[in-house]
Amino acid sequence: MVMVSIFCTAIALILFAKGVNMIGPTSASILSTLEPIVGIVASFLVLKEPLSWQIIFGSALVIASVMLIALQGGGDEVLP
């Protein structure tokens, strides 16, 4: 069980690093910022978890930060 979790984590980190190298750090950070939103929507739709005003407010803050990052732009250089 431990080897499976270590192996899966290693694969995920290697793929994440390759993805950052391919699309650039700014785009990767924007996509990473959306991960909690996808988790909330998936838990609501798949697991039927309730939505509270705190979750909706936090999601709005995440979306606002993503929009702020996207509007500022720049810094999207790809490393060799």
Side-chain angles (χ1 to χ4, degrees), residues 14 26 43 56 58:
I14 289 169
T26 304
S43 70
I56 294 170

Side-chain angles (χ1 to χ4, degrees), residues 2-78:
V2 172
M3 291 304 290
V4 170
S5 62
I6 291 173
F7 184 69
C8 291
T9 302
I11 289 175
L13 288 174
I14 289 169
L15 291 175
F16 180 76
K18 287 185 183 279
V20 169
N21 197 22
M22 286 174 51
I23 67 172
T26 304
S27 298
S29 66
I30 290 172
L31 288 174
S32 294
T33 306
L34 291 175
E35 185 178 345
I37 303 298
V38 172
I40 290 168
V41 170
S43 70
F44 177 72
L45 295 176
V46 176
L47 301 174
K48 306 298 184 210
E49 292 285 328
L51 283 178
S52 66
W53 70 268
Q54 293 97 337
I55 292 174
I56 294 170
F57 181 70
S59 300
L61 288 177
V62 170
I63 292 170
S65 67
V66 169
M67 290 173 52
L68 182 64
I69 291 169
L71 291 176
Q72 286 181 351
D76 206 12
E77 63 275 354
V78 176

